[in-house]
Every structure is written in structure tokens, then in C-alpha cells.
Amino acid sequence: MTRIARIRATPVTVPLEAPLRHSNGAHWGRFVRTLVEVETDDGYLGLGEFGGGGESATAAVEGLLPLLKGHDVFRLEAMRFAICNPTASLYNNRTQMHAALEFACLDVMGQKLGVPVCDLLGGRVRDAVEFAAYLFFRYPDERTGEGEVRTPEQLVANARALKAEHGFRSHKVKGGVFPPGHELECYRALAAAMPGDSLRHDPNCAWSLADAIAFGRGIEGLNNDFFEDPVWGMPQLSRLREFVRIPTATNTVVVNFEQLAANAAQRAVDVILLDTTFWGGIRPCIKAAGVCETFGLGVAVHSSGELGVQLATMLHLGAVVPNLGYSADAHYHHLKDDVIVGGKMKYVDGRIEVPRAPGLGVKLDREKVARYHELYRELGGYPYDRDPGRPGWFPLIPNRDWADPDAASRPAMR
């Protein structure tokens, strides 16, 4: 047996090209993530990752060691109940921590057996995973003044640059920032500039049903993959489908099996976006993909602001799911750097190759981990649900207090 001996958690902050705006606030020029390392009694080291960081996250992860010390990394189902017992989780939700530990255990298993993680999960059906360009409205970088995306022209220029660099053939716009009419103008401009490419819009549940119907009808004739989370909740998403003939998608209201069952009965959402941290690991996502296949629902791989460790889990997931019907999301191209050996993974023709080395196929660059851990200690976290350019503002659902598309600002991001 290969038993867990030690668990370490390290919060890091990695800079972005520019601050990313969304309906709930903004990413303040950086991503904050927690790296998790699991050491075993026979000398293996497995890697995991989840969103957020800080002393509480570190203490929570490392505080699981008394539950898991001596646990065999191959006993993943037993570990799931040790960490995420469904009744205990009502009081102490550890889903993302479980995901990071599952990643690390799978990494160890692959290393010990000499095979990539995808071979432990049914074997690959594809060697590379296609990604969409993830387009955000952005504040300019506070140091250089560059990178702003606010107007249709700026959005199109950003999309063209990303397509030229990475080869993307589909484009996702993160909306819910400006008035829906302005975002409709931006989306139509993008469609005109990218003939033949597919599009998707994600306002993060910020719109009223009326706004979502108007926007959806305004884009029905375009080459849309799906309409992602325009309104909040299954009842409104179900109602929206009566008025707009575009597949709906979600990563917010179907993130566990109870919600998946409810959606199968209610038919509110057509495409389920599977996130390896939100669902608690790669294996739950594969199970969910099987349920979706049974009920005729589409699936895609969701992004939650990953560094290279979680990106590797997304690639192994994408390698083994046969009914993956859409290109994956990834915030990854917004990062200036990564914490893995060799730096950022490369896109080729809009795809990233699934790692072939044993385990997850990535290793930590210790110098970069130390550098970005120190940057985290310097800058700390940031309130995800606040916009530094709009002091005093906070998000409502549905939102009517939109940012002004004509007002450029350069807020302090500290």
C-alpha cells in the first residue's frame, strides 16, 4: 500500500495580463490559488490545486491530515466519505479540498504505476483538448496602461490577437458587466469579425429574464455554441428556453448530482459545464458525464481560474470523456506565468496536448512557487465579489446597476 504521510498547502498569487471584469466584481490583476502536495510513506509526491488561499485555506487542508494519515491513496471512494460525507458536508463543505487531494492521489497512483492519470480513468479517446478563447472585459494594466477591453473594437482586437497566437476557433465572452445592449453590440461585432468560428456568452446569472430573452433573440441567428447562465436558477433557465432557441449551459446551478437529477427532470439546462474542483475531482466529473450521456445532455470542461496543476486535471478529464461536445473553457491564456516546470503549457491550433508522463504529468517549479507565494504574502487575497473601479458597488441578482461603457478608469488593485 501507498499511504499518505504528509499534506502541505501553499497559497500563491500569479499575475494576469490585465484585471478581468465579471458580473460579480473582478479578478484584481491576479489569480489566487492554493497548491496542495501529498507525500506518501514510500516517497511519492502528488499535486493538487484549488481556488482561493490564505491562512484559513492552508489550515483547513493541512488540518485534514489527522483524518487521512496512513490512508492508502488507491482507496479514493473511502477518502471521499472521510472528507465529504454527504450529511456532514451540510455543515462543513470540503468539496474543493477533496478535489485537490483526489488530484494528488491520482497523481501518485499514476507515478507508482508508470501511467498518465487518464489511463487510470478509462484511457484516452483524444490526445489533445480543444479550448475556446475566454474573452473578458478588462481594466487596463495599472503598470503599463495596456490591455483594456471595453468597446466592441477592443474586444475584436483582443480576440484576433488570441486567435493569431493560439489558434482558437471558438470564443466565449464573459458578460454581465455593461448594459446588455452594449454587450450585444460587442458580441455581434465579434461574430462579424470571426466568420465560421463559434461563440458563447456568459453573463454569470446577472440578467433579468426579460434582458436574457432580448439578448438571446438578438443573437439567435449567429453561430452560437450555447447561452451560459444568463439568468439565475433552474426555474428561470427553464422559462428562458421557451423564448430563445439557443442551448442553455451552466456551471452554477448544476454542480452536484442532486442538481443534475433535478435538471434531468426539469430540463432547464442543455449543456453541463464540468469543473474538476467544483464537482470535487476528476472522477465525479466523469460520473456526471456518464449521467449526461444517458439523459441526452451535452457536456464541456469548465474553467475556474486554474494554474498548470488544475489545467492538467482538465486535460485528463477531456481526454477520457467520449461525449465532450464543445471546446473547453480556460482562463489560462490570461496568466503571465505559471508555477509548473517548463512554464505555461502551449496551445497548438487552439488545443493543448494531454500530458503523457506518469501521473498528472506536471511538476512544480520550486523557485516560482516561492516567488508567487511571497507575492501572495505581499498582496494578500482580493474580494472576488467587488469591483475596484466602482467603490461601494455590490452585485445584485438580477443586476440593473451596470458599469458605464463610456467611462474608462484605472483603479488601484492593491
Side-chain angles (χ1 to χ4, degrees), residues 351-369:
R351 294 174 169 83
I352 299 179
E353 186 176 356
V354 179
R356 293 188 173 273
L360 289 176
V362 295
K363 302 296 182 185
L364 293 178
D365 183 321
R366 294 295 170 181
E367 186 278 326
K368 288 186 177 180
V369 171

Side-chain angles (χ1 to χ4, degrees), residues 173-319:
V173 179
K174 178 67 82 176
V177 176
F178 297 117
H182 177 76
E183 294 190 2
L184 178 59
E185 181 184 0
C186 291
Y187 194 83
R188 285 172 168 166
L190 182 64
M194 301 289 173
D197 290 0
S198 63
L199 308 173
R200 56 189 75 161
H201 197 80
D202 174 18
N204 268 139
C205 310
W207 290 345
S208 68
L209 182 60
D211 285 336
I213 291 171
F215 187 98
R217 286 178 168 174
I219 66 171
E220 276 186 338
L222 303 179
N223 186 18
N224 302 292
D225 286 327
F226 45 70
F227 199 8
E228 181 179 343
D229 283 321
V231 292
W232 171 249
M234 286 192 207
Q236 286 202 91
L237 285 166
S238 180
R239 185 72 170 147
L240 177 66
R241 293 174 77 246
E242 299 177 27
F243 295 94
V244 176
R245 295 171 299 174
I246 302 172
T248 52
T250 189
N251 77 282
T252 62
V253 300
V254 181
V255 292
N256 60 43
F257 288 94
E258 291 79 8
Q259 293 168 356
L260 184 56
N263 182 67
Q266 190 171 351
R267 289 292 175 171
V269 181
D270 302 298
V271 182
I272 308 302
L273 306 179
L274 299 171
D275 188 298
T276 56
T277 55
F278 291 179
W279 280 81
I282 307 174
R283 294 167 69 250
C285 288
I286 294 171
K287 292 179 183 178
V291 174
C292 290
E293 186 175 32
T294 301
F295 284 95
L297 300 170
V299 298
V301 178
H302 181 258
S303 166
S304 51
E306 65 288 326
L307 304 179
V309 176
Q310 189 188 347
L311 179 63
T313 73
M314 296 160 60
L315 293 168
H316 287 287
L317 171 64

Side-chain angles (χ1 to χ4, degrees), residues 318-332:
V320 302
V321 172
N323 53 321
L324 189 66
Y326 303 88
S327 56
D329 290 348
H331 291 75
Y332 196 65

Side-chain angles (χ1 to χ4, degrees), residues 8-290:
R8 288 193 302 274
T10 307
V12 294
T13 285
V14 180
L16 301 169
E17 291 179 351
L20 309 178
R21 307 177 73 175
H22 52 77
S23 72
N24 297 314
H27 295 290
W28 296 36
R30 60 193 188 274
F31 283 153
V32 176
R33 309 290 291 177
T34 295
L35 301 172
V36 175
E37 300 174 74
V38 171
E39 291 186 27
T40 66
D41 59 359
D42 52 353
Y44 289 96
L45 177 67
L47 301 179
E49 175 192 332
F50 66 96
E55 293 181 3
S56 60
T58 299
V61 175
E62 294 180 350
L64 293 174
L65 184 59
L67 291 176
L68 297 176
K69 189 169 185 178
H71 187 90
D72 183 357
V73 298
F74 284 81
R75 296 180 62 220
L76 291 180
E77 283 298 319
M79 187 179 77
R80 177 167 70 94
F81 281 90
I83 298 174
C84 292
N85 181 291
T87 55
S89 291
L90 294 172
Y91 302 95
N92 188 3
N93 194 316
R94 297 167 172 161
T95 301
Q96 290 207 36
M97 289 187 288
H98 175 269
L101 291 164
E102 186 228 56
F103 302 159
C105 288
L106 287 169
D107 192 15
V108 169
M109 291 164 61
Q111 293 175 49
K112 189 175 179 84
L113 298 175
V115 297
V117 161
C118 59
D119 284 3
L120 303 172
L121 301 172
R124 66 182 68 208
V125 296
R126 58 185 63 85
D127 293 322
V129 177
E130 184 174 5
F131 287 86
Y134 207 160
L135 305 171
F136 280 76
F137 295 108
R138 311 194 308 189
Y139 285 118
D141 182 88
E142 63 177 338
R143 294 174 179 84
T144 66
E146 299 177 349
E148 182 188 57
V149 176
R150 178 173 46 87
T151 67
E153 295 78 15
Q154 289 170 325
L155 182 69
V156 167
N158 183 225
R160 281 177 168 155
L162 290 171
K163 183 179 177 70
E165 182 178 2
H166 301 303
F168 295 125
R169 297 182 299 174
S170 57
H171 311 271
K172 171 177 172 174
V173 179
K174 178 67 82 176
V177 176
F178 297 117
H182 177 76
E183 294 190 2
L184 178 59
E185 181 184 0
C186 291
Y187 194 83
R188 285 172 168 166
L190 182 64
M194 301 289 173
D197 290 0
S198 63
L199 308 173
R200 56 189 75 161
H201 197 80
D202 174 18
N204 268 139
C205 310
W207 290 345
S208 68
L209 182 60
D211 285 336
I213 291 171
F215 187 98
R217 286 178 168 174
I219 66 171
E220 276 186 338
L222 303 179
N223 186 18
N224 302 292
D225 286 327
F226 45 70
F227 199 8
E228 181 179 343
D229 283 321
V231 292
W232 171 249
M234 286 192 207
Q236 286 202 91
L237 285 166
S238 180
R239 185 72 170 147
L240 177 66
R241 293 174 77 246
E242 299 177 27
F243 295 94
V244 176
R245 295 171 299 174
I246 302 172
T248 52
T250 189
N251 77 282
T252 62
V253 300
V254 181
V255 292
N256 60 43
F257 288 94
E258 291 79 8
Q259 293 168 356
L260 184 56
N263 182 67
Q266 190 171 351
R267 289 292 175 171
V269 181
D270 302 298
V271 182
I272 308 302
L273 306 179
L274 299 171
D275 188 298
T276 56
T277 55
F278 291 179
W279 280 81
I282 307 174
R283 294 167 69 250
C285 288
I286 294 171
K287 292 179 183 178

